[in-house]
Amino acid sequence: MNTHDRPLIPYGGLTGSDGQPYHAERRLIDAINAAIVLERPLLLTGEPGCGKSDFAFAVARSVGVKLLESHVRSDSRARDLLYHYDALHRFGDAHQLDDAIRKRSADATHYVKLLPLGEALVAPNRQVVLIDEIDKAPRDLPNDLLRELDRGDFEIIEIPSSATPPSERPPGTLARIMKRPPGASQPIIIITSNVERQLPDPFLRRCMFFHVKFPDDARLTDILRSRAGGIPYVDKLVDLFLTLRDVPRLTKKPATSELIDWAKDLEARSNQAEMAKAIESLWASLEQQAKADKTIRRLPEGKWKALPGLHCLLKMREDLEAVGC
Amino acid sequence: MTADKTTRAFVQSLVDQRLLTHDLDHLLALEHLLAVAVAERWTPDRLSASFASVLATSPLQWEKIERACQDFVLQGLPSGVKQADLRIRVDAPEPPGVRAKLRERAEPWIRRLARASTATWISLLLVGLLAGVAGVVAFVVYGGGEVEELVVEPDEPSSSSTTAEPTDEPDEPPDPSAGDDGAVLEPMLVEGESPSLAIRLDQPTSLEPVWLLVALGLVSALLAGLGVAWLFAPRDYREFVRKRDEEALGLRAKRGIGEIPYFVERFAPFDEGRMDGAASILARIGAEARGFELDVVRTVQRTLDLGLPAPVMQATHAARELLVLVDVEHGGHPFFDGVEWLLTRWRRSGLHFVRFDFAHRPARLETWPERLAFDLDEVARRTEGMPMMLFSRGVELAYEHQVPAPWLERASAWPLRVFVDLDPRVPSERNSAERKALAEMRDRGFLRVPFTPDGLDAAVRHLAGARAGAGRVIEEPLAPLADINIEVAIARWVAGAACVPDPTWAQMEAIRRHFPELANALPDPRYLQRAIEWLRGRLQDAKLGHDPTKDGKRLAVGPLGIDLRVEQTERDTQLATPNAAQFVTQARALILHQLGGAKPKATDPARGMWDLRVAYQHAMLEPAKADELLHIFFGTAQEGEMLRLADELAREQASLHSPGAKALMGRVRSETEGGQRIPTLKLRPSLRRIGLVSTIGLGVGGISSLVWLAIADRPVAVVDVSVPADMRLLLPDVKLGGECDFGQPLAIPAPPTGGLGDPSTGRACASEVALATTEAPIRLVRLSGGEFTMGERSDSDEDPHRVALSRFAIGATEVSVKQYELVMGNRPSNCNLGCDADHPVQTVSWFDAVKFMNALTKMENDRRKGVRLTPCYDEATWVWNPGCTGYRLPTEAEWEYAARAGSTATYSFGEDAKEICKSANVRSEDCDDGFENLAPVETLRPNAWGLHEMHGNVWEWVFDGYDSEFYSSKNVVNPVNTAASEYQALRGGAFDFRPVYSRSANRLRYLPGTWNRFYGFRCARGAVQP
């Protein structure tokens, strides 16, 4: 356990991808630090828009490297995250008239390109990798990835095994067996998933798991204050926003980023006094209704229409209909 | 309880709650985590969250496990581990030792105590004392008064009691727990107690001495406690802090931080807005890249056209990061600051780029800022396709041993490549080899742009994908040196820069910007190139021939600087320029301003250098005060540098024919050539502390004894107000004068002129400490040298004669056992006579003594930075190397001069041998010196020059061979008998010899190879040249 070269993600002072402060809950930081200790991938689940991917950016910034992003597609195989082998191009080159190009095509390494995850696994310095939306991938992919993530090395089957033992090759050159250079540290791997149930059990067991909750009102208020500080009625916005999220039958609940857009939209408007008045009055009626209902918070029927900038929050027709527009 | 049991129990409890199934992998992971958690003192919250993250696979499970873990950690742990302890350790059930516990508890107090300033301490102590004294006095006044009353009139009823007394008294018997005093008194009260009033009246009488004792005891305990706390706790802590700071400083010094104590204002070389604009264009750069998808239509078309399978991939457009390669040459070059500024600006404005640094050719690259080394192949593979900018002066870029450099082969990895030429000269101005290199770069597809706003604009447009013609830049050539205005301005610029001994490039730029006349004539930072060229020419003319940019980080003006300044002044005078000769003065003012902005802390290793620089600039501005300003650096780590600067100063002043320059010059020369450098050291902090402690100790002792005497009219134990041993250092009988006169040439003094009856000349100056043995410092007193009458008419070998001596330093004490051990590693002393650490070392031969001197010199060299002392003795023959600067034995003449300390009498204190016991440890029938055997060094009264035990204690080896006829030789200037001799001389008598042997002039001889329990020695250092 050499603690000195293990990065420690601090509880505060993180910066997200857009250069704005990233407010992470302490347990999430505990989880990522434990994942770094155990050199395991961290699986983040949570609703879309609760800041899972942004957290990876924040970690990369804190570690001081550029985030390597692996985007998973519905037809990705595990190898597609590690490297890309350009068979077609090689095939084309092999049939070129130019001697030099033909000769070049004999060497498979010219047609192999490491992809972010592969690059990170063999990098000499610690990297941060984001494997985004792994639930989109075919069911086999996570299990196939396990071996590579566990061992930190992988095979490029297109490259014939060479006579030179790996120890004599300069680090970083392409070879059949790609190994982490000695002394290098395991990359920090952050995997996000919108739904946790679809992932295979062995994979879940190997990963550290953390569910990123949708931010509560206090954190949302903090976030808004730091993004759209010009608005005096931030807490009321948050209250309305959370109430809107609780409206039953919404197909797509508005996410944090939509809240921010909304606040920015309101902030940018010229008739500030009017806006404030509209929000205040809506909020007042919300309070009034809450007193009557006692248990649930909701706006009276048809009141949502009066919310300025509602289109920033709800984007689908059926959702707009659901709130009575 | 071990870690694995804990985790197993925990996992088992989870399995029991059906939260989990058994999994060995989990168990191992948890054990690992727990080990780290224990080592790093994680909070229970953090541990729980980490455990839950390992074990859970769903949000609900996560929360349950976290709660279970918290419960387990907080309550479920077996005995011995508490909630609070988990933060500390889980695997150490045994309670920490009592000492450790106490220490832990006391630590914050110690810290607090240590942080309190000395003033706070003294005031606290005084307040405590005053309170104590006031309390005791008040008690005695009231209580004592009553005692008398009661004794005189025992029949008087209790009504005569004072009001103070009864309030205390009646309370006590019924309430045994009324406080500490009550509890203590209780048993004593019980003896004489009775419910009757009459007996109660007696109580004060029986109580009175007890009360007094208790009060005194309390006050004494308070004082003792405070004294002990002051003595130990803060001192230990401060010592610890000091050591830690010193280590940190040492580390900083090693790393070379704080090397340049100047605050230099930095200027933007280009228009900031324009560069930000360039950054925003670069940030938007995208690149057409070969995608992974097959372009079916074009593939079919092409295959048909060619008759061969020819796949065409769909082009993708991807945002591209910029690759920046920076040539740092030897770690810096004149135009490197500009590149740093530009890249910092870009980075701050949000442009992402990957930067690699290289030296001369990018075969080996280093990441920035982590400095990880990479091969070009690796970098090319990783950054393939990125737009690339190469910043270099291009000197050795393209050719290696006359053939194109191999790295150029890999350049094709970057389709868009720009070579930003940092060399400000236009290509037509370069020599043929440089032009060839530029052509090679062009052939390899690099777009060459000059390092100007226009050039950078062109580069950015090229990288952003603008087509042909984007890279054309009209380069404005720098005005040639032949232009008289340029040359005059450059001469002035360099003359100004030469006032800084080592101007950095940023300083050059700051000077250019500071003076309007320079900024007008040389409107562009690129004129630095002209300055270098000009200086290069001057250096060649002066046959100095070195490269003024050699070190890469600064302009090496070197010794030519003085000539430049002098020339400048002369030219100004000739041209009758309005600000004739003022320019350099202004430049110095600027430099002093720069220094003022960068004052290092007093503890910073760079501070000495900074002080020296400031003093030097002031000395240059006020030559009359130069001597005073600079010579305080003698003997410090800056001594070497100071001599260099002083030399420079003297030469410049001499060149400018200013008064007093020659004298200064001579002085510096004599200092340099004489090799006599005696350091002035301030009292070490530890000594200061001892002084403070002793003062307070004395104060406490004094006051408490006063209190005791004041309150007690019956005999009480008398407090011994002895002076602590260390205190002696601070109560010297002698006052050391100021500095010895450095103005006298020291190598060889004039022959003596005085008659035999004339008094000695010379005096003692400041003392110095050998740094080699800081644990038991060897203190030397510097003597000015002079002439005196050596010998006495009482013995045949002591023929009086006049002798002149150079100045030298001699040990204030004999070398102690501890000092000898620190240097030589053994304790030869005979313990029957005393072999404690501070006894003088004895049972040493003359050879042991000279070996000691060489070893001490070596240790000192290891400790001292800057100045190297030369060892004094050849290790094979033990011949004295003339002109050595290291430690040595005193010569016989030096010893006697020092022993006499200006006196002409038999002993340094006078003629009367009966007086000797105060100053010497000898075997006297007339008086008692208090020591049966050896006395510890520095015990007895020193002579007028602060030298202890010159008379008595142990015989002291001197360097000279013994020759009874030597005094009659003509050798009267720095005499030393180096002729081969069977015996070596010893001086000063010893504890078991009669006082007559301790006469200042008395001589003894002994075989140098044999030791004897009466023989020791003391150190000397300084400039006799035999």
Side-chain angles (χ1 to χ4, degrees):
Chain A
M1 275 171 281
N2 42 356
T3 52
H4 46 274
D5 59 47
R6 168 153 54 80
L8 183 74
I9 313 297
Y11 284 121
L14 293 175
T15 313
S17 59
D18 50 359
Q20 299 283 355
Y22 182 88
H23 302 267
E25 57 175 307
R26 290 178 72 90
R27 288 162 173 190
L28 176 55
I29 303 293
D30 289 337
I32 184 72
N33 281 326
I36 294 171
V37 170
L38 294 175
E39 304 196 334
R40 286 183 171 202
L42 174 66
L43 174 67
L44 296 180
T45 64
E47 287 181 52
C50 61
K52 300 187 296 291
S53 312
D54 214 21
F55 177 65
F57 277 97
V59 170
R61 280 216 183 185
S62 167
V63 174
V65 295
K66 187 174 177 293
L67 180 69
L68 298 172
E69 288 175 272
S70 262
H71 291 288
V72 179
R73 293 181 298 182
S74 54
D75 61 346
S76 294
R77 290 165 304 161
R79 278 197 331 179
D80 296 340
L81 299 184
L82 295 168
Y83 65 94
H84 173 75
Y85 172 67
D86 197 347
L88 268 174
H89 197 251
R90 189 179 182 192
F91 178 66
D93 279 357
H95 290 85
Q96 290 282 332
L97 299 175
D98 190 334
D99 265 356
I101 296 181
R102 271 216 308 283
K103 227 173 252 168
R104 185 179 136 93
S105 73
D107 185 356
T109 56
H110 289 133
Y111 302 93
V112 170
K113 187 168 168 46
L114 292 187
L115 294 178
L117 182 59
E119 195 73 76
L121 285 177
V122 297
N125 46 350
R126 194 188 285 272
Q127 300 290 335
V128 180
V129 191
L130 168 68
I131 303 177
D132 216 357
E133 311 199 354
I134 202 167
D135 49 327
K136 278 204 305 200
R139 207 177 148 71
D140 290 341
L141 182 134
N143 275 349
D144 292 349
L145 263 186
L146 270 186
R147 200 195 136 274
E148 277 79 16
L149 296 187
D150 255 5
R151 302 179 38 156
D153 55 31
F154 57 94
E155 200 176 355
I156 302 176
I157 51 173
E158 287 81 3
I159 300 178
S161 44
S162 74
T164 21
S167 54
E168 286 169 24
R169 282 196 305 270
T173 49
L174 290 169
R176 186 179 177 91
I177 306 288
M178 294 296 288
K179 273 198 161 75
R180 200 164 357 138
S185 12
Q186 168 98 358
I188 299 169
I189 298 170
I190 295 171
I191 304 171
T192 70
S193 164
N194 289 340
V195 232
E196 69 279 356
R197 274 295 162 211
Q198 284 176 7
L199 297 170
D201 251 9
F203 180 75
L204 283 174
R205 268 213 305 277
R206 268 308 286 153
C207 289
M208 304 286 286
F209 172 85
F210 193 84
H211 179 76
V212 183
K213 289 198 201 70
F214 196 83
D216 57 9
D217 52 351
R219 274 187 58 218
L220 282 178
T221 314
D222 277 353
I223 292 172
L224 269 201
R225 286 238 164 81
S226 65
R227 306 290 179 98
I231 298 182
Y233 43 86
V234 164
D235 42 346
K236 286 169 187 145
L237 282 190
V238 171
D239 202 2
L240 284 168
F241 170 76
L242 289 175
T243 316
L244 178 63
R245 275 175 60 87
D246 287 344
V247 170
R249 299 187 311 279
L250 276 192
T251 323
K252 190 188 170 300
K253 290 182 179 182
T256 322
S257 60
E258 277 142 1
L259 170 67
I260 293 168
D261 289 348
W262 181 42
K264 281 188 176 160
D265 176 46
L266 294 182
E267 195 184 16
R269 295 192 185 197
S270 52
N271 47 350
Q272 279 301 316
E274 232 170 274
M275 286 299 113
K277 215 172 145 198
I279 298 286
E280 296 278 352
S281 83
L282 268 179
W283 187 74
S285 58
L286 175 68
E287 284 289 281
Q288 211 173 359
Q289 186 71 24
K291 261 181 208 154
D293 288 355
K294 297 235 171 13
T295 46
I296 48 163
R297 284 175 81 83
R298 62 188 171 94
L299 263 187
E301 205 62 39
K303 276 271 183 185
W304 280 115
K305 250 191 293 188
L307 190 68
L310 184 62
H311 60 274
C312 295
L313 297 171
L314 297 180
K315 311 229 164 114
M316 292 164 82
R317 199 163 51 83
E318 49 264 52
D319 284 351
L320 285 169
E321 278 166 7
V323 297
C325 293
Chain B
M1 184 180 62
T2 60
D4 66 329
K5 274 186 194 157
T6 314
T7 49
R8 268 163 218 275
F10 173 60
V11 171
Q12 187 57 49
S13 76
L14 293 180
V15 172
D16 292 346
Q17 295 173 48
R18 300 194 181 176
L19 278 169
L20 216 60
T21 51
H22 269 299
D23 184 340
L24 187 63
D25 206 32
H26 279 158
L27 207 55
L28 293 175
L30 293 191
E31 274 163 21
H32 185 167
L33 264 188
L34 189 61
V36 175
V38 166
E40 295 179 3
R41 298 173 155 219
W42 287 7
T43 58
D45 278 352
R46 185 171 172 194
L47 189 68
S48 307
S50 305
F51 272 21
S53 299
V54 174
L55 298 172
T57 56
S58 76
L60 200 62
Q61 195 187 13
W62 197 97
E63 275 172 20
K64 281 184 180 166
I65 293 177
E66 196 214 11
R67 213 170 307 127
C69 183
Q70 269 176 351
D71 290 350
F72 188 83
V73 164
L74 301 187
Q75 294 150 20
L77 291 179
S79 60
V81 184
K82 286 192 207 83
Q83 185 174 340
D85 284 348
L86 184 95
R87 207 194 157 92
I88 300 157
R89 49 179 64 91
V90 176
D91 58 344
E94 68 277 3
V98 179
R99 279 181 69 93
K101 256 190 183 167
L102 280 177
R103 189 168 267 272
E104 203 164 283
R105 212 171 292 168
E107 203 169 22
W109 280 101
I110 296 175
R111 272 164 209 270
R112 224 166 294 158
L113 290 176
R115 249 183 255 132
S117 69
T118 314
T120 324
W121 257 101
I122 293 174
S123 52
L124 262 178
L125 212 61
L126 284 181
V127 168
L129 272 176
L130 282 178
V133 171
V136 169
V137 168
F139 175 82
V140 169
V141 169
Y142 289 109
E146 192 183 30
V147 169
E148 272 177 18
E149 248 178 34
L150 285 167
V151 169
V152 173
E153 298 170 335
D155 297 334
E156 191 84 15
S158 67
S159 59
S160 69
S161 301
T162 57
T163 47
E165 196 66 13
T167 51
D168 275 1
E169 287 303 310
D171 282 354
E172 276 182 42
D175 184 11
S177 60
D180 287 354
D181 298 348
V184 172
L185 289 171
E186 185 67 12
M188 305 187 176
L189 283 171
V190 169
E191 285 171 22
E193 196 173 9
S194 144
S196 80
L197 185 69
I199 295 186
R200 262 195 67 205
L201 277 176
D202 280 348
Q203 274 173 15
T205 19
S206 65
L207 246 183
E208 182 264 345
V210 177
W211 262 111
L212 204 59
L213 277 178
V214 167
L216 290 176
L218 280 176
V219 171
S220 310
L222 174 80
L223 294 179
L226 283 173
V228 167
W230 166 265
L231 272 175
F232 294 107
R235 197 176 63 179
D236 285 356
Y237 182 67
R238 281 182 197 171
E239 188 65 15
F240 162 72
V241 170
R242 191 181 61 78
K243 264 191 190 150
R244 196 189 55 195
D245 290 354
E246 265 177 14
E247 274 168 21
L249 286 175
L251 201 66
R252 279 190 58 193
K254 260 187 202 163
R255 285 196 196 144
I257 303 173
E259 192 195 16
I260 311 156
Y262 290 99
F263 171 75
V264 180
E265 199 179 340
R266 304 260 170 176
F267 297 94
F270 307 127
D271 177 33
E272 288 159 338
R274 236 176 131 177
M275 291 304 115
D276 290 351
S280 68
I281 295 176
L282 284 175
R284 283 200 299 270
I285 290 182
E288 298 271 314
R290 206 176 65 210
F292 299 146
E293 303 293 329
L294 194 69
D295 185 338
V296 180
V297 179
R298 289 173 63 195
T299 303
V300 171
Q301 188 61 47
R302 193 139 174 256
T303 307
L304 290 177
D305 288 352
L306 288 172
L308 284 169
V312 179
M313 311 304 281
Q314 270 178 358
T316 55
H317 187 87
R320 281 287 183 196
E321 263 188 306
L322 180 67
L323 172 68
V324 173
L325 303 184
V326 181
D327 185 357
V328 295
E329 298 188 12
H330 302 289
H333 58 77
F335 306 100
F336 187 61
D337 281 345
V339 180
E340 284 284 2
W341 177 88
L342 178 73
L343 294 180
T344 313
R345 182 89 201 168
W346 278 357
R347 197 174 283 277
R348 288 217 181 116
S349 61
L351 176 67
H352 270 287
F353 56 85
V354 182
R355 172 173 167 185
F356 287 90
D357 289 352
F358 64 93
H360 299 301
R361 271 182 299 272
R364 214 61 201 139
L365 299 116
E366 278 188 343
T367 58
W368 186 92
E370 305 91 354
R371 305 248 159 260
L372 302 169
F374 280 91
D375 277 338
L376 177 72
D377 279 353
E378 167 74 0
V379 173
R381 193 176 64 70
R382 287 178 162 231
T383 62
E384 193 164 358
M386 283 159 98
M388 185 259 258
M389 278 180 109
L390 177 78
F391 291 87
S392 172
R393 285 204 287 173
V395 191
E396 296 166 49
L397 196 59
Y399 277 89
E400 190 171 358
H401 308 302
Q402 315 296 326
V403 294
W407 77 271
L408 289 166
E409 300 294 331
R410 287 307 309 252
S412 55
W414 307 288
L416 288 171
R417 38 192 187 269
V418 170
F419 163 45
V420 182
D421 192 353
L422 300 180
D423 196 326
R425 293 170 300 164
V426 291
S428 57
E429 219 183 294
R430 319 262 177 106
N431 64 30
S432 62
E434 285 168 328
R435 281 207 296 272
K436 199 175 149 203
L438 291 184
E440 181 70 30
M441 293 293 284
R442 193 186 57 227
D443 292 348
R444 299 288 182 154
F446 281 91
L447 174 75
R448 178 193 164 276
V449 295
F451 189 51
T452 57
D454 287 344
L456 289 167
D457 270 358
V460 168
R461 268 182 281 131
H462 178 71
L463 293 178
R467 297 294 168 213
R472 297 228 172 270
V473 195
I474 298 154
E475 272 184 67
E476 268 183 58
L478 297 175
L481 270 181
D483 185 331
I484 183 70
N485 287 331
I486 297 291
E487 202 197 334
V488 165
I490 281 180
R492 191 168 271 223
W493 187 14
V494 176
C499 300
V500 189
D502 44 6
T504 57
W505 306 120
Q507 253 169 326
M508 290 290 289
E509 174 65 5
I511 293 171
R512 187 185 72 83
R513 297 251 186 179
H514 184 74
F515 294 99
E517 68 256 46
L518 292 184
N520 290 338
L522 313 167
D524 194 313
R526 295 185 299 151
Y527 276 94
L528 185 55
Q529 173 69 27
R530 288 284 181 261
I532 293 167
E533 280 165 24
W534 183 79
L535 190 58
R536 214 172 251 157
R538 304 305 300 251
L539 287 165
Q540 264 154 20
D541 291 349
K543 302 223 167 79
L544 294 166
H546 71 263
D547 184 356
T549 66
K550 202 174 153 205
D551 129 279
K553 290 184 177 131
R554 52 193 74 230
L555 183 71
V557 184
L560 194 61
I562 300 154
D563 299 347
L564 291 175
R565 288 199 296 266
V566 173
E567 213 173 273
Q568 179 61 35
T569 318
E570 277 168 3
R571 187 189 292 128
D572 281 345
T573 321
Q574 277 169 14
L575 293 175
T577 325
N579 56 357
Q582 275 182 20
F583 178 78
V584 169
T585 312
Q586 285 171 4
R588 290 198 191 287
L590 171 67
I591 293 157
L592 274 171
H593 172 73
Q594 289 177 347
L595 280 165
K599 187 175 185 176
K601 278 189 197 154
T603 48
D604 195 302
R607 178 57 180 272
M609 193 54 93
W610 184 88
D611 285 338
L612 175 60
R613 290 282 159 82
V614 173
Y616 169 68
Q617 297 299 351
H618 279 300
M620 285 300 233
L621 290 170
E622 290 176 273
K625 283 193 182 170
D627 191 24
E628 191 182 312
L629 285 163
L630 282 181
H631 94 252
I632 54 168
F633 292 94
F634 270 116
T636 64
Q638 285 74 44
E639 186 171 332
E641 173 81 349
M642 189 280 281
L643 287 172
R644 192 177 73 72
L645 293 177
D647 190 31
E648 194 170 298
L649 172 74
R651 288 205 300 133
E652 174 162 349
Q653 298 304 332
S655 315
L656 291 173
H657 316 291
S658 73
K662 279 206 178 119
L664 183 69
M665 179 99 165
R667 194 163 301 176
V668 168
R669 194 151 290 156
S670 67
E671 291 295 343
T672 326
E673 286 163 9
Q676 179 70 13
R677 297 159 193 181
I678 297 178
T680 39
L681 281 182
K682 287 175 190 151
L683 201 56
R684 289 189 311 128
S686 63
L687 294 186
R688 242 183 280 145
R689 191 162 51 225
I690 290 167
L692 197 60
V693 171
S694 316
T695 320
I696 290 170
L698 260 186
V700 170
I703 292 171
S704 53
S705 60
L706 277 179
V707 170
W708 280 75
L709 290 173
I711 61 176
D713 54 355
R714 64 183 68 76
V716 284
V718 176
V719 181
D720 179 19
V721 198
S722 62
V723 181
D726 294 326
M727 194 72 181
R728 285 191 300 265
L729 278 179
L730 293 132
L731 303 168
D733 290 334
V734 284
K735 292 268 183 292
L736 292 178
E739 298 299 311
C740 285
D741 186 4
F742 280 83
Q744 298 296 321
L746 7 126
I748 299 159
T753 50
L756 289 183
D758 288 347
S760 307
T761 63
R763 61 200 174 86
C765 316
S767 65
E768 62 171 278
V769 175
L771 293 176
T773 57
T774 43
E775 208 177 318
I778 297 180
R779 211 157 57 80
L780 284 84
V781 174
R782 295 160 59 173
L783 305 180
S784 66
E787 55 175 276
F788 76 111
T789 303
M790 184 174 180
E792 197 181 359
R793 295 198 188 284
S794 33
D795 220 335
S796 60
D797 60 353
E798 295 169 17
D799 194 12
H801 62 300
R802 203 71 181 164
V803 164
L805 290 174
S806 296
R807 67 168 205 232
F808 64 101
I810 188 162
T813 68
E814 289 147 351
V815 170
S816 74
V817 171
K818 181 74 186 168
Q819 288 162 350
Y820 190 88
E821 189 187 9
L822 283 169
V823 176
M824 303 300 283
N826 63 332
R827 291 186 174 210
S829 280
N830 178 334
C831 286
N832 293 338
L833 307 179
C835 62
D836 292 345
D838 53 354
H839 277 126
V841 69
Q842 26 90 351
T843 324
V844 285
S845 70
W846 182 87
F847 287 111
D848 290 334
V850 290
K851 276 180 202 165
F852 172 90
M853 295 305 168
N854 270 12
L856 179 62
T857 306
K858 190 168 167 301
M859 274 178 84
E860 184 86 345
N861 280 339
D862 292 343
R863 279 290 188 97
R864 277 163 66 112
K865 305 279 176 282
V867 181
R868 314 295 296 175
L869 302 177
T870 47
C872 282
Y873 305 108
D874 182 302
E875 307 248 340
T877 58
W878 302 109
V879 169
W880 186 354
N881 302 334
C884 73
T885 53
Y887 292 90
R888 59 181 176 81
L889 285 173
T891 66
E892 213 175 340
E894 280 171 349
W895 193 96
E896 189 169 332
Y897 176 71
R900 288 180 177 275
S903 80
T904 49
T906 308
Y907 302 99
S908 61
F909 49 86
E911 297 287 352
D912 191 356
K914 286 176 184 155
E915 294 287 310
I916 199 166
C917 291
K918 286 176 192 155
S919 309
N921 175 19
V922 292
R923 198 184 74 204
S924 168
E925 260 109 62
D926 301 321
C927 62
D928 181 14
D929 53 49
F931 293 95
E932 180 74 7
N933 289 318
L934 283 174
V937 299
E938 218 170 338
T939 312
L940 296 151
R941 200 172 64 183
N943 69 18
W945 288 348
L947 307 171
H948 294 266
E949 290 104 28
M950 291 297 281
H951 304 301
N953 223 13
V954 286
W955 285 99
E956 295 171 20
W957 289 107
V958 290
F959 183 75
D960 299 48
Y962 177 83
D963 177 1
S964 59
E965 300 301 313
F966 186 64
Y967 280 18
S968 55
S969 72
K970 293 260 170 348
N971 205 339
V972 289
V973 175
N974 283 334
V976 52
N977 181 15
T978 53
S981 168
E982 194 182 348
Y983 298 106
Q984 296 299 123
L986 290 134
R987 288 305 200 100
F991 69 94
D992 204 24
F993 288 73
R994 282 182 291 118
V996 67
Y997 285 98
S998 296
R999 286 179 301 112
S1000 299
N1002 187 43
R1003 308 171 73 196
L1004 184 76
R1005 58 178 192 177
Y1006 206 72
L1007 297 165
T1010 44
W1011 34 258
N1012 181 307
R1013 62 203 162 122
F1014 300 116
Y1015 298 166
F1017 61 95
R1018 73 176 69 212
C1019 301
R1021 191 161 92 86
V1024 173
Q1025 298 199 354

